[in-house]
Amino acid sequence: MQILVTGGTGYIGSHTVVELLNHGDDVVIVDNLSNSHPIVLERIEIITDKRPDFIKADVCNFEKMNEVFSKYQFDSIIHFAGSKAVGESVEKPLLYYRNNIESTWVLVELMEKYNVPSIIFSSSATVYGQPDINPITEDFSYQCTNPYGRTKMINELFLKDTTVAYPNISAISLRYFNPIGAHESGLIGEDPQGIPNNLMPYITQVAIGKLEKLSIFGDDYDTHDGTGVRDYIHVVDLAKGHVAAVNYLQEHKDTSFLAVNLGTGIGYSVLDIVHAFEKIIGREIPYQITDRRLGDIATCYANPKKAKELLNWEAKFDLEKMCEDSWRWQIKNPKGYVRSNVF
Ligand code: NAD
Ligand code: UD1
């Protein structure tokens, strides 16, 4: 199949492109490189022995995207392109609402014009906000607590409405839990700009000596050790979930809209992650307990049953593998993509 991958040079997108190429699909990446580096394309080629077509463009640019759609006949789209930092979305809601919503609007408009039958959308467990109970199933209500989360919710509602109005278009919204890890080659991985917001890149940067110590945001939550519990999922497992979703829609053309969790179903605390990582590197990670981070919740983990039943997909990699691969990526690329020592 010919697949358009927006945001395909980003963290999750690049791993998904590798899985699609390994699966035998042809891939066209559109990315404006606002949060990624073009060297990713070389890395993808080294891993897969194939080079995806790449177009540097903003997905919100209708005219440019019209050119792309008129050049290729896509069988499906995977839409990763977007802005993803919760804190920044509070400060810059205009940027988030435009980038995250207009991009999907452009794609669906062009899907209708060029008869592209399916789209896979990157959603997030953040749409559930603070769930009353865990594990979380897809029928839980939307309880978004920030502009970023609301852009994901609005995208889902938009896709629901458009797939009803245009029965030739099908959509799956994949709600990711907490992706970590990297490709086992150490050639592609997460490359946060500045000081990382998320736990795993922060830990790996402490381990390599770039940051002094980890701050654990609160140890008084109602969890087994007082620190926050999340459902961490290996990014390669997550990537394979996208291949499964594309294939599902290829075989079930009468689908309108589906929302599906991609998680492992297992909740680990911050301290569980720190200790698992310490085991891999054979030394301690210095940390301090600080106040809770505003907006954080105690516990969030998926019920991944729907993904198994519908997509025949389930996460395979355990926490040890997630830590091992995160660490390999960090030591092979101590400064990220830009000044990597791999080549
Ligand atoms: P990322 O920032 O690494 O990748 C996003 C890519 O999209 C980047 O390469 C960026 O340059 C590109 N991009 C952004 N706006 C664009 C635009 N208008 N036109 C073209 N390209 C554009 O992020 P990621 O972690 O790979 O996340 C991918 C998607 O998954 C995002 O939509 C994000 O909201 C969602 N998501 C991520 C996580 C996570 O923890 N990483 C969790 C849940 C959901
Ligand atoms: C964050 C995003 C969420 C996104 C998810 C997946 C926020 C508020 N939410 O979720 O929208 O879908 O990433 O990538 O940004 N922690 C520390 N110290 C740190 C960093 C994190 O103790 O330096 C703790 C947090 O309190 C939390 C856990 O580690 O308990 C995971 O945090 P993080 O990696 O930032 O992910 P989430 O907050 O779950």
Side-chain angles (χ1 to χ4, degrees):
M1 282 193 279
Q2 174 93 263
I3 320 268
L4 168 63
V5 180
T6 75
T9 48
Y11 174 45
I12 306 170
S14 56
H15 289 82
T16 302
V17 168
V18 165
E19 295 307 316
L20 289 167
L21 293 171
N22 286 342
H23 179 256
D25 294 311
D26 294 322
V27 173
V28 179
I29 295 175
V30 172
D31 199 302
N32 63 3
L33 302 176
S34 58
N35 197 35
S36 55
H37 197 283
I39 202 174
V40 169
L41 298 164
E42 286 170 32
R43 305 287 179 90
I44 289 172
E45 191 174 1
I46 295 170
I47 296 170
T48 63
D49 221 9
K50 294 174 193 161
R51 188 150 183 134
D53 286 4
F54 174 73
I55 298 151
K56 182 172 186 269
D58 190 322
V59 184
C60 299
N61 183 333
F62 186 89
E63 285 72 32
K64 182 76 194 171
M65 292 306 290
N66 191 34
E67 276 172 33
V68 174
F69 275 71
S70 61
K71 184 168 167 204
Y72 297 94
Q73 181 54 52
F74 298 120
D75 298 297
S76 191
I77 297 171
I78 308 182
H79 181 30
F80 293 105
S83 308
K84 64 166 182 177
V86 172
E88 188 186 46
S89 78
V90 176
E91 289 156 26
K92 299 178 182 168
L94 284 175
L95 168 75
Y96 274 68
Y97 278 90
R98 180 166 194 276
N99 204 31
N100 290 3
I101 294 172
E102 194 172 359
S103 54
T104 315
W105 172 80
V106 166
L107 291 174
V108 175
E109 181 98 14
L110 291 168
M111 287 173 77
E112 176 56 10
K113 183 170 172 190
Y114 289 95
N115 288 318
V116 180
S118 68
I119 180 165
I120 311 300
F121 175 69
S122 291
S123 188
S124 166
T126 199
V127 298
Y128 299 117
Q130 175 140 16
D132 297 330
I133 51 164
N134 279 279
I136 297 169
T137 50
E138 291 82 353
D139 56 353
F140 281 27
S141 59
Y142 289 117
Q143 289 189 39
C144 314
T145 55
N146 53 67
Y148 167 70
R150 281 187 277 275
T151 67
K152 294 297 180 192
M153 174 188 74
I154 291 167
N155 268 298
E156 290 197 354
L157 297 173
F158 169 72
L159 289 170
K160 231 182 203 169
D161 286 341
T162 46
T163 51
V164 168
Y166 307 113
N168 295 338
I169 299 180
S170 306
I172 292 183
S173 182
L174 295 175
R175 296 174 176 168
Y176 314 150
F177 281 68
N178 288 54
I180 59 171
H183 191 268
E184 69 176 357
S185 61
L187 287 168
I188 54 172
E190 187 172 13
D191 183 19
Q193 306 300 307
I195 296 176
N197 290 313
N198 297 116
L199 181 63
M200 184 53 90
Y202 206 105
I203 291 177
T204 60
Q205 292 197 13
V206 170
I208 206 165
K210 216 169 153 182
L211 296 168
E212 194 195 334
K213 65 170 115 156
L214 172 72
S215 292
I216 295 184
F217 300 142
D219 66 349
D220 57 351
Y221 285 106
D222 184 17
T223 62
H224 63 271
D225 59 20
T227 65
V229 166
R230 298 289 184 276
D231 186 335
Y232 296 92
I233 174 169
H234 197 295
V235 66
V236 172
D237 274 331
L238 196 73
K240 289 181 175 160
H242 293 75
V243 180
V246 169
N247 289 337
Y248 178 88
L249 289 183
Q250 179 70 10
E251 287 160 17
H252 298 83
K253 293 191 189 299
D254 54 341
T255 306
S256 49
F257 173 85
L258 288 170
V260 180
N261 289 340
L262 290 187
T264 64
I266 302 168
Y268 287 112
S269 73
V270 178
L271 281 171
D272 291 335
I273 302 293
V274 169
H275 296 322
F277 194 83
E278 288 175 336
K279 245 179 157 177
I280 297 298
I281 63 168
R283 57 193 159 85
E284 288 187 359
I285 293 289
Y287 69 81
Q288 61 183 350
I289 307 291
T290 63
D291 289 345
R292 292 180 177 195
R293 181 171 65 180
L294 202 70
D296 272 358
I297 57 174
T299 304
C300 168
Y301 59 92
N303 179 334
K305 219 170 134 198
K306 189 170 174 185
K308 173 73 181 154
E309 284 172 1
L310 276 184
L311 310 181
N312 195 25
W313 170 92
E314 63 188 329
K316 295 270 192 298
F317 295 133
D318 61 13
L319 182 57
E320 190 183 337
K321 170 88 173 146
M322 295 185 221
C323 293
E324 249 173 40
D325 289 342
S326 297
W327 183 228
R328 187 179 306 103
W329 156 254
Q330 179 69 79
I331 48 179
K332 279 187 136 184
N333 306 268
K335 292 178 178 165
Y337 283 116
V338 184
R339 277 170 289 157
S340 156
N341 64 358
V342 172
F343 296 105

